Amino acid sequence: MFSRELWLENEKARAVVRKSKAGRKRQELLALAFGVKVGVKSSFLWPPLKLFACPQISSLVRRAALTHNGNQFNYEKAHNFKVHTFRGPHWCEYCANFMWGLIAQGVRCSDCGLNVHKQCSKHVPNDCQPDLKRIKKVYCCDLTTLVKAHNTQRPMVVDICIREIEARGLKSEGLYRVSGFTEHIEDVKMAFDREVSNADERLEAVHEVLMLLPPAHYETLRYLMIHLKKVTMNEKDNFMNAENLGIVFGPTLMRPPEDSTLTTLHDMRYQKLIVQILIENEDVLF
């Protein structure tokens, strides 16, 4: 029988070996991108133009790391390739050759950002690892794409909803039969979609937009938000929270330039949301 100390020592040794192999794999990928022979003192570098491949190197290493990441659930997913026009020189991340053409030089996976030749896309394995920054919403999203982006076995919305139902809804009359209010359902869906994005990043984006306003517009909006924040502080008496005020002021403050009824109806929820964010975060944004 092995002692615990000997077992731990063996595990440490194996971890070192695994790390060494992983490092060697990354070196091989870097060599592939740069055209360098690994382990040879007189390493030969391809023409200087190859140096423009730097942006692709991080993607190659990231894909290799994700492929060997034991925490990823083993769901196979094909890449979602779409024809793409690149602004600068690009190399195929599958064959490492230059992507020629004035327009539409190749294709890009809209889920993970992999850039390859159109002909190479037919040979790329189904190893797409979606980037959470590219997945903008929970609903109307491919299921495998969603769970791989969040590195979960199931969509988080399923887990959250089931936990809530089992915690306080199992004895509710008409469970799963009586429909909820459409507006409430849409609000819940929007809330889930918002939680895919980072709240701090959203506030930073809103702040940057506010900085683009003309001084008179900015000052008027700032003063109004301070007032509306005071209104919400008396919610117990006036029953007006930030969401309710967003419904009232949204169509006025966030009215689109064109007077299109269809556009107005489509933007109504977002108008309410942005005003609500401005009120709730008035002390940070202004």
Side-chain angles (χ1 to χ4, degrees):
M1 295 291 291
F2 287 105
S3 65
R4 178 175 177 80
E5 291 76 12
L6 182 59
W7 180 81
L8 290 173
E9 188 174 336
N10 288 334
E11 284 298 307
K12 290 180 180 179
R14 290 176 183 174
V16 171
V17 171
R18 287 195 295 268
K19 185 176 181 180
S20 176
K21 288 183 177 179
R24 178 69 180 179
K25 182 64 176 178
R26 291 187 179 90
Q27 288 181 4
E28 292 173 355
L29 287 168
L30 290 172
L32 179 63
F34 271 134
V36 177
K37 295 179 181 179
V38 178
V40 180
K41 292 183 179 179
S42 58
S43 298
F44 175 73
L45 189 65
W46 286 354
L49 188 62
K50 202 69 173 179
L51 292 175
F52 285 103
C54 288
Q56 280 77 271
I57 294 175
S58 59
S59 178
L60 285 168
V61 175
R62 175 174 57 82
R63 288 182 61 214
L66 287 174
T67 302
H68 294 87
N69 186 357
N71 294 329
Q72 292 287 329
F73 293 102
N74 191 25
Y75 291 144
E76 186 178 271
K77 181 188 179 307
H79 290 273
N80 184 20
F81 287 119
K82 295 182 179 179
V83 177
H84 189 76
T85 300
F86 300 99
R87 295 182 178 179
H90 263 73
W91 274 258
C92 176
E93 296 178 35
Y94 180 76
C95 70
N97 289 319
F98 185 69
M99 300 172 74
W100 297 96
L102 296 177
I103 57 174
Q105 301 94 329
V107 293
R108 168 176 287 178
C109 177
S110 59
D111 294 334
C112 72
L114 179 68
N115 304 313
V116 297
H117 290 111
K118 186 175 182 180
Q119 59 270 27
C120 288
S121 66
K122 302 175 183 177
H123 307 290
V124 175
N126 296 335
D127 60 351
C128 179
Q129 297 289 347
D131 187 346
L132 193 57
K133 293 181 180 179
R134 297 175 179 271
I135 311 303
K136 301 299 183 183
K137 55 185 178 180
V138 173
Y139 291 89
C140 301
C141 177
D142 174 71
L143 183 60
T144 305
T145 300
L146 185 64
V147 297
K148 286 183 76 69
H150 288 273
N151 191 24
T152 57
Q153 289 179 297
R154 301 168 299 276
M156 63 173 182
V157 61
V158 174
D159 285 346
I160 293 175
C161 290
I162 287 180
R163 281 201 302 266
E164 285 297 310
I165 291 293
E166 293 183 350
R168 55 192 181 89
L170 291 178
K171 296 183 178 180
S172 297
E173 183 179 350
L175 179 62
Y176 293 127
R177 175 177 60 81
V178 178
S179 300
F181 293 106
T182 303
E183 184 177 353
H184 292 169
I185 294 174
E186 291 300 318
D187 286 341
V188 171
K189 290 171 66 175
M190 285 183 63
F192 275 114
D193 283 341
R194 289 199 303 269
E195 295 300 322
V196 171
S197 60
N198 184 279
D200 292 333
E201 291 179 355
R202 183 171 63 243
L203 285 180
E204 184 177 350
V206 173
H207 182 264
E208 290 179 359
V209 173
L210 290 175
M211 293 296 101
L212 299 176
L213 290 175
H217 293 73
Y218 177 89
E219 176 57 26
T220 302
L221 184 62
R222 183 190 70 83
Y223 191 74
L224 178 60
M225 291 304 111
I226 293 175
H227 164 67
L228 295 181
K229 187 66 173 285
K230 293 178 180 178
V231 173
T232 63
M233 295 173 66
N234 293 276
E235 179 186 350
K236 292 182 179 179
D237 298 319
N238 58 36
F239 300 104
M240 293 300 288
N241 56 25
E243 182 179 3
N244 293 335
L245 291 171
I247 295 174
V248 175
F249 284 89
T252 302
L253 297 177
M254 303 296 162
R255 186 175 59 206
E258 64 280 359
D259 293 329
S260 170
T261 305
L262 184 61
T263 303
T264 303
L265 291 174
H266 180 268
D267 292 343
M268 192 172 296
R269 291 187 176 278
Y270 300 102
Q271 294 169 349
K272 179 199 76 172
L273 176 60
I274 190 63
V275 173
Q276 180 180 344
I277 292 175
L278 291 175
I279 296 173
E280 292 175 342
N281 302 278
E282 164 269 326
D283 56 333
V284 176
L285 294 173
F286 295 95

